[in-house]
Amino acid sequence: MPPAPEPCAREGPHGLVIRAEPTSVRAALRSILAAPLVSEIAPGHRQTVELVLAEVLNNVVEHAYAPATGHVAIFLMRFSGGLVCEVIDNGAPMPNGTAPAGRLPEFDLSGCDLPEGGFGWYLIRSLACDITYRRQRGTNRLGFTIPLGPPVPQASYP
C-alpha cells in the first residue's frame, strides 16, 4: 500500500488512506463524519458509523500493526439501505484467519470492575452486517455494511 501524507490523504470522495496510529484514526473519523456521504445521514446513524469505524480502525492499530505501524485504506459507499465499508491493511492477519465472533467478555456484575477491552467485536457485530474478512497476498480486507434504516435515537448524555 503506498504511503500517505500525515495525518490522512483523500483518495477520492469515498475513500482515504491513513497512518495506522491513534492520531490519524481520530483525524480520519472527523473527516469521514464531515464528508457529505456521512454528514447527511440522520444523527443516530452517524453515531453508529463513528462507533463501528472507530472500533475497526483502533483494532487495526492495536492488533494488526502493534508494535509497528503502517497504513490503512478506508473505502465507503452509500446506498439506499446502508453504508458499505471496506478496510484494508497490511498488518498481521486475524487469529485463525477469521473475524472474531464478537462475544461479550465475562465479567462480574456484582462489582465495578468492568474489563478494559473485549467489547469491540461485540459492538461491530451488533451494529454492522454482511461482515466479511479475507487475507489475500499479505493484505487484510474487512468488509461490512452499516444499515441506515429508520432513524435511530441520538444518544444524549447528562
Side-chain angles (χ1 to χ4, degrees):
M1 189 173 310
E6 290 289 335
C8 63
R10 285 189 99 58
E11 293 288 324
H14 309 303
L16 52 93
V17 176
I18 65 169
R19 285 183 50 78
E21 52 93 20
T23 303
S24 293
V25 168
R26 287 191 293 277
L29 290 171
R30 281 193 302 274
S31 176
I32 290 167
L33 292 172
L37 178 75
V38 177
S39 68
E40 296 170 357
I41 295 171
H45 290 302
R46 275 196 315 271
Q47 290 173 338
T48 300
V49 169
E50 180 178 20
L51 178 58
V52 171
L53 287 174
E55 287 295 337
V56 167
L57 295 173
N58 284 315
N59 278 343
V60 171
V61 170
E62 294 172 14
H63 302 291
Y65 281 116
T69 189
H71 292 88
V72 184
I74 307 146
F75 299 98
L76 308 170
M77 184 177 72
R78 195 160 149 208
F79 70 103
S80 60
L83 185 69
V84 176
C85 308
E86 185 173 30
V87 177
I88 303 168
D89 68 80
N90 295 325
M94 289 201 192
N96 303 317
T98 60
R103 290 182 188 85
L104 280 174
E106 302 268 334
F107 56 90
D108 183 3
L109 289 175
S110 65
C112 295
D113 293 331
L114 289 176
E116 176 65 26
F119 296 96
W121 273 100
Y122 174 79
L123 290 170
I124 293 165
R125 288 202 178 270
S126 296
L127 299 171
C129 59
D130 304 324
I131 297 171
T132 61
Y133 169 76
R134 72 180 188 273
R135 176 82 173 179
Q136 188 175 32
R137 287 176 274 203
T139 300
N140 296 308
R141 299 175 90 73
L142 178 68
F144 53 94
T145 300
I146 301 171
L148 301 175
V152 295
Q154 185 171 0
S156 60
Y157 302 97

